[in-house]
Amino acid sequence: MMIRRIEEKDYQDLKDIWESSVKSTHDFLKQEDFEFYKENLPNYFPHVTLFGFEFENQLVGFVGVAEKNLEMLFIHNDFRRKGIGKLLLEFSIKELEVKSVDVNKQNQQAVDFYLSQGFAIVSLSEKDGEGKSYPILHLSL
């Protein structure tokens, strides 16, 4: 088990992890929006610092950070609830100086997770960064 920097050759694994995670945690997403985000996800990768969690030489989770904001944290559904998200979050706070995170208001598991890790809700946006009608909670340490 280890946390390592993500390389471009890992991008397909990240897409697979994202898809597995989102399918199990974002049941509020419309199918066409799921497809939109899936198609556009790789466009975000060059704009964030990416680290992944490897288990038995397989990437099973990852984080992306930009300007001290946790832009993404996804764990493959087969590996959720095993402490990997917490390890990646702690790494992001300690090593990447994360101070904030935005989370879908409808993703109650994620909201509860971040609140349990010391984040507090500071504001709400009615639409997400793509202008879609998914309310976003802005949290800060």
Side-chain angles (χ1 to χ4, degrees):
M1 295 188 300
M2 65 179 263
I3 295 175
R4 67 166 176 84
R5 188 174 282 279
I6 294 296
E7 300 171 26
E8 196 169 338
K9 67 178 177 59
D10 298 315
Y11 285 3
Q12 184 58 53
D13 289 337
L14 300 191
K15 285 175 61 177
D16 295 343
I17 292 165
W18 179 89
E19 183 170 359
S20 169
S21 178
V22 170
K23 280 185 174 177
S24 62
T25 58
H26 291 61
D27 56 358
F28 53 87
L29 270 185
K30 295 178 193 158
Q31 185 61 35
E32 62 265 24
D33 291 334
F34 173 83
E35 295 299 333
F36 170 83
Y37 293 121
K38 180 180 173 183
E39 184 177 315
N40 286 285
L41 180 67
N43 299 334
Y44 295 109
F45 293 156
H47 303 286
V48 293
T49 301
L50 291 163
F51 279 86
F53 187 91
E54 228 176 48
F55 178 76
E56 296 180 353
N57 295 318
Q58 176 190 359
L59 277 173
V60 298
F62 71 95
V63 292
V65 175
E67 298 175 8
K68 299 184 181 181
N69 188 66
L70 184 65
E71 299 288 338
M72 44 184 90
L73 189 165
F74 294 99
I75 309 300
H76 191 284
N77 192 48
D78 294 346
F79 292 87
R80 289 179 60 240
R81 302 213 171 270
K82 298 184 184 325
I84 296 168
K86 186 175 179 179
L87 286 171
L88 282 168
L89 179 62
E90 289 171 350
F91 173 85
S92 299
I93 292 168
K94 184 177 178 189
E95 301 297 328
L96 305 175
E97 301 179 355
V98 160
K99 304 282 186 232
S100 59
V101 63
D102 297 336
V103 63
N104 288 100
K105 183 179 179 184
Q106 295 140 298
N107 186 348
Q108 194 61 51
Q109 289 180 26
V111 173
D112 292 344
F113 170 72
Y114 290 115
L115 292 176
S116 77
Q117 299 304 306
F119 286 85
I121 298 168
V122 293
S123 63
L124 168 72
S125 297
E126 289 302 325
K127 296 187 182 294
D128 70 10
E130 298 294 336
K132 297 185 182 290
S133 296
Y134 297 107
I136 300 293
L137 291 171
H138 306 284
L139 288 77
S140 184
L141 284 175

